[in-house]
């Protein structure tokens, strides 16, 4: 029986969370990237509940989470040496590897694709839940479809209260941006479908070639066939209109002076704050390094809504390293409204 309100469970209530999973219910789960909405990956009825709670399109596949590197073999039809080498280097951690799925993964979990993305998360609470449940866990990010991903249990509760039985508490997510999703083009080549904390540069220490899929930085129309269905959907968007502003500090400040209407606010680097304040521009900072910005930007998008911001102008991060992951999410949050300040 599902209570009307979603229960917050603590780590010492792991068995209660695992019992819900085994009973085919979805449970909120912290990971080092973002909170996920976990369920038994092999139970189509449980997976259906996850899609329903999120309002997620049925063709957008779920990532399957394991807690031991040996546990991916039964879930896929083959593990090429490059995939094994990547898993050994980056797991547990924020990397999802797509391989052909075995019969253990139902079609609904894979969004109807013949492949499955596998990830071994680093967060001790997600590892404990997978172990206690005794099954691989399918888990998309724990937000309502289209909204910013949750990096705290409070964010997840705001989206999911009354829609799922429970969320496991696990603090703030250290990475703050979802896992890097990769496919293998051939035995030497990795294709990055979604950038994350494991960067193309790091993947290049294991793979001979690393291709960043063009969809990472470009707009994909809804009728395009893409390698990763998530690339084409509206994503990460707060209620506020978002514009991503490229350019240096001086150019950004000049742009903001021209766009400083009522309801406008800026999301900037830490060093920009005093200069914005001196010009009477309402602003919040989201960090001074790529990693800090990754950990902060989803919360900042939610805060803008809480404060009634109508138009949020975001100073664009870099497009290399972890910055690429933040940039990839922000262009989608902005509905591809990207301008260059001069
Ligand atoms: O860090 C993460 O990956 C988090 C945590 C909870 O683990 N999960 C997450 O899941 O971000 P989700 O469902 O919000 O995003 C998964 C992305 C989607 O863009 C989806 O299209 C893509 O991965 N994906 C999953 N399986 C795929 C597959 N078999 N082929 C291509 N793309 C896939
Ligand atoms: Mg998501």
């Amino acid at each position: 029986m599902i209570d009307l309100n979603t229960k917050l469970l603590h780590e010492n209530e792991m068995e209660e969370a695992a019992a819900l999973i085994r009973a085919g219910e979805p449970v909120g789960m912290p990971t080092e990237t973002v909170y996920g909405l976990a369920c038994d990956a092999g139970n189509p009825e449980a997976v259906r509940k996850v899609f329903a709670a999120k309002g997620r399109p049925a063709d957008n596949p779920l990532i399957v989470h394991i807690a031991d590197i040996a546990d991916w073999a039964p879930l896929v039809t083959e593990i090429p040496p490059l995939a094994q080498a990547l898993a050994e280097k980056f797991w547990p951690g924020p990397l999802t590897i797509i391989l052909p799925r075995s019969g253990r993964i139902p079609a609904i979990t894979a969004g109807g694709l013949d492949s499955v993305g596998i990830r071994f998360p680093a967060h001790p609470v997600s590892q404990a839940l997978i172990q206690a449940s005794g099954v691989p866990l399918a888990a998309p990010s724990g937000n309502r479809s289209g909204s910013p991903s949750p990096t705290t249990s409070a964010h997840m509760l705001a989206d999911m209260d009354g829609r799922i039985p429970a969320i496991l508490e696990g603090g703030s997510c250290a990475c703050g941006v979802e896992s890097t999703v990769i496919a293998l083009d051939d035995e030497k080549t990795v294709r990055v479908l979604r950038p994350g904390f494991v960067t193309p540069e790091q993947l290049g220490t294991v793979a001979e070639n690393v291709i960043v899929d063009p969809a990472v930085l470009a707009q994909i129309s809804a009728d395009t066939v893409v390698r990763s269905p998530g690339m084409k959907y509206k994503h990460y968007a707060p209620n506020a209109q978002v514009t991503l502003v490229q350019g240096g500090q001086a150019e950004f400040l000049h742009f903001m002076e021209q766009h400083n209407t009522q309801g406008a606010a800026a999301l900037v680097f830490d060093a920009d704050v005093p200069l914005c304040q001196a010009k009477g521009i309402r602003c919040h900072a989201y960090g001074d390094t790529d990693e800090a910005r990754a950990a902060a930007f989803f919360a900042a998008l939610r805060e803008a809504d809480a404060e009634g911001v109508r138009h949020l102008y975001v100073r664009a991060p870099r497009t290399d390293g972890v910055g690429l992951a933040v940039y990839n999410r922000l262009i989608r949050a902005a509905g591809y409204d990207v301008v260059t300040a001069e």
Side-chain angles (χ1 to χ4, degrees), residues 241-295:
Q241 194 184 336
V242 177
T243 299
L244 193 59
V245 184
Q246 292 179 309
Q249 185 182 64
E251 292 77 18
F252 183 86
L253 286 166
H254 181 63
F255 178 93
M256 281 313 300
E257 283 179 301
Q258 294 166 321
H259 292 82
N260 197 12
T261 53
Q262 217 198 334
L267 184 61
V268 297
F269 302 167
D270 292 359
D272 303 333
V273 170
L275 294 151
C276 281
Q277 284 171 343
K279 292 187 187 293
I281 297 161
R282 188 174 160 193
C283 72
H284 283 288
Y286 75 126
D288 255 349
T289 62
D290 292 331
E291 287 74 13
R293 290 191 276 265

Side-chain angles (χ1 to χ4, degrees), residues 54 56 140-141 143 149 178 194 235-236:
K54 279 184 63 84
R56 181 174 175 109
S141 52
N143 51 289
S149 295
E178 306 90 333
R194 182 178 71 180
H235 256 335
Y236 317 118

Side-chain angles (χ1 to χ4, degrees), residues 80-117:
L82 175 56
Q84 186 66 29
L86 289 161
E88 280 168 17
K89 168 98 186 198
F90 295 109
W91 284 356
L95 179 68
T96 297
I97 305 176
I98 297 173
L99 289 175
R101 74 178 156 96
S102 76
R104 293 274 197 100
I105 303 294
I108 183 175
T109 307
L113 298 178
D114 54 13
S115 60
V116 61

Side-chain angles (χ1 to χ4, degrees), residues 24-238:
E25 294 296 335
V27 174
M29 155 177 98
T31 83
E32 75 279 24
T33 58
V34 300
Y35 276 72
L37 182 54
C39 74
D40 178 352
N43 179 339
E45 187 51 30
V47 172
R48 195 196 56 72
K49 288 180 189 169
V50 165
F51 276 93
K54 279 184 63 84
R56 181 174 175 109
D59 70 348
N60 197 3
L62 308 186
I63 291 171
V64 174
H65 299 68
I66 56 174
D68 185 322
I69 200 163
D71 287 348
W72 70 329
L75 309 177
V76 298
T77 58
E78 54 159 339
I79 300 173
L82 175 56
Q84 186 66 29
L86 289 161
E88 280 168 17
K89 168 98 186 198
F90 295 109
W91 284 356
L95 179 68
T96 297
I97 305 176
I98 297 173
L99 289 175
R101 74 178 156 96
S102 76
R104 293 274 197 100
I105 303 294
I108 183 175
T109 307
L113 298 178
D114 54 13
S115 60
V116 61
I118 311 281
R119 168 160 126 75
F120 177 177
H123 198 295
V125 174
S126 34
Q127 291 180 358
L129 181 63
I130 298 163
Q131 274 155 1
S133 306
V135 289
L137 299 183
S141 52
N143 51 289
R144 294 295 303 277
S145 195
S147 296
S149 295
T151 54
T152 65
S153 58
H155 296 161
M156 188 160 176
L157 198 58
D159 276 22
M160 290 293 168
D161 195 16
R163 307 182 68 86
I164 57 170
I167 299 172
L168 259 175
E169 178 58 62
S172 296
C173 301
C175 301
V177 66
E178 306 90 333
S179 62
T180 305
V181 176
I182 60 164
L184 307 186
D185 279 10
D186 58 44
E187 67 273 17
K188 293 178 178 171
T189 309
V190 164
R191 177 175 295 267
V192 177
L193 300 177
R194 182 178 71 180
F197 243 70
V198 176
T199 63
E201 295 84 349
Q202 289 173 320
L203 293 165
T205 64
V206 177
E208 206 163 304
N209 312 310
V210 179
I211 296 169
V212 176
D213 195 277
V216 164
L217 286 174
Q219 182 168 11
I220 303 298
S221 69
D223 52 5
T224 308
V225 177
V226 288
R227 290 284 292 276
S228 185
M231 297 198 288
K232 70 185 178 190
Y233 288 111
K234 179 174 177 275
H235 256 335
Y236 317 118

